Amino acid sequence: MKKRIKLAPSLLEADYRFLDKQLKMMETVGADSVHIDVMDGTFVPNLSMGMKMIQSIRQSTKLEFDVHMMVQEPHRFIKKMAEAGSDVITVHFEACKDLTGTLNSIKKEGKKVGLAIKPETSLDVLTENLLMPIDVVQLMTVEPGLEGQSFIPDSINKISEIQKKLHEIDKSADIEVDGNITMDNIKQVVQAGATIIVAGKAIFSGDMVENIRKMRSLLDTL
Ligand code: DX5
Ligand code: ZN
């Protein structure tokens, strides 16, 4: 059976006045998970949401919470993120001194393990040993932490390369793309092998319901 491509609206672009309503609505119209960007002002030059907010909005929806930690040494917060209601906890390759230990601590909390890589990080770092415990490989298709950037075209090749690496070691994991995914490039990223689509502006600019419906129908044809 064809695998369903997951659509994950990125809350960074949501209208926080109506978060509860928007979360309930996105669940009804075809979102699969909620992408939550956690920024620490050190790993990335910005601040965003944290545990308290995640815990609070956990009551608004049953959608999977896909927590993207743009945080230096995220191992300090894994337990709290898990307790707050995260389902997938993604840490950055570039942010961890003890990457294996950090990934293990996510697994120990019973959560799905995500590993994100920045655009300039070589895919050579994705060795068999590293990939084995991972549920989601998240490729940044813009530089994390900054708004208003363009999708990096070379990402398409990188998605295929990640898919190839997973295939070579017979490992099944999702490939998530994050950063300026729109109706114009969504088809290309899925055809290259992406299985989780994060979208911020493309969903929250204008009519959220209409935007999710359009993306969902396009994804269902791919
Ligand atoms: C970038 C964030 C993304 C971002 C996606 O630092 O990790 O999740 O919110 O939003 P768009 O799709 O608008 O680039
Ligand atoms: Zn993100």
Side-chain angles (χ1 to χ4, degrees):
M1 209 178 72
K2 207 175 93 177
K3 187 173 172 174
R4 180 179 165 100
I5 307 292
K6 286 186 179 177
L7 183 57
S10 172
L11 284 198
L12 201 58
E13 302 295 336
D15 188 336
Y16 297 169
R17 289 174 300 170
F18 313 118
L19 213 43
D20 178 63
K21 200 171 145 218
Q22 288 190 321
L23 285 161
K24 291 190 165 72
M25 194 61 87
M26 66 177 76
E27 187 169 347
T28 317
V29 297
D32 300 276
S33 56
V34 183
H35 186 82
I36 303 173
D37 287 310
V38 179
M39 303 184 184
D40 70 348
T42 300
F43 182 69
V44 288
N46 224 335
L47 295 169
S48 58
M49 31 212 143
M51 281 79 83
K52 273 285 236 186
M53 180 177 165
I54 295 173
Q55 191 182 12
S56 164
I57 61 171
R58 188 61 285 183
Q59 290 153 56
S60 298
T61 176
K62 289 199 165 53
L63 287 175
E64 184 172 78
F65 275 6
D66 170 32
V67 176
H68 176 196
M69 296 187 72
M70 285 166 273
V71 174
Q72 200 63 43
E73 296 304 341
H75 66 89
R76 298 172 288 155
F77 305 107
I78 301 294
K79 197 169 175 48
K80 284 185 178 158
M81 279 297 171
E83 286 166 359
S86 314
D87 298 295
V88 184
I89 301 181
T90 297
V91 296
H92 266 266
F93 173 83
E94 306 84 3
C96 308
K97 271 202 203 97
D98 176 11
L99 185 57
T100 306
T102 307
L103 299 175
N104 282 342
S105 66
I106 301 173
K107 203 155 223 131
K108 224 169 76 195
E109 291 299 328
K111 304 299 172 187
K112 284 194 198 163
V113 181
L115 178 67
I117 49 171
K118 287 168 82 166
E120 75 270 21
T121 300
S122 161
L123 296 185
D124 292 347
V125 304
L126 299 178
T127 58
E128 179 168 359
N129 276 350
L130 193 57
L131 286 172
M132 270 311 170
I134 288 170
D135 300 294
V136 180
V137 181
Q138 184 185 315
L139 176 69
M140 291 307 303
T141 50
V142 300
E143 196 56 41
L146 302 166
E147 275 189 81
Q149 302 170 80
S150 310
F151 175 84
I152 300 169
D154 186 40
S155 308
I156 301 294
N157 294 330
K158 287 184 156 185
I159 299 165
S160 312
E161 221 180 298
I162 295 170
Q163 195 189 41
K164 197 168 145 237
K165 276 177 183 283
L166 291 168
H167 186 74
E168 273 167 11
I169 60 169
D170 204 16
K171 164 82 188 163
S172 131
D174 277 299
I175 302 176
E176 177 166 2
V177 281
D178 183 14
N180 203 22
I181 306 295
T182 65
M183 285 294 281
D184 295 330
N185 56 23
I186 197 167
K187 190 171 173 186
Q188 257 186 308
V189 294
V190 171
Q191 284 174 344
T195 54
I196 304 177
I197 307 298
V198 176
K201 284 198 192 62
I203 283 180
F204 291 102
S205 303
D207 185 339
M208 181 198 82
V209 167
E210 202 44 41
N211 292 336
I212 293 179
R213 284 207 175 114
K214 274 193 200 140
M215 276 200 168
R216 184 73 264 162
S217 345
L218 177 57
L219 288 174
D220 289 344
T221 65
L222 300 174

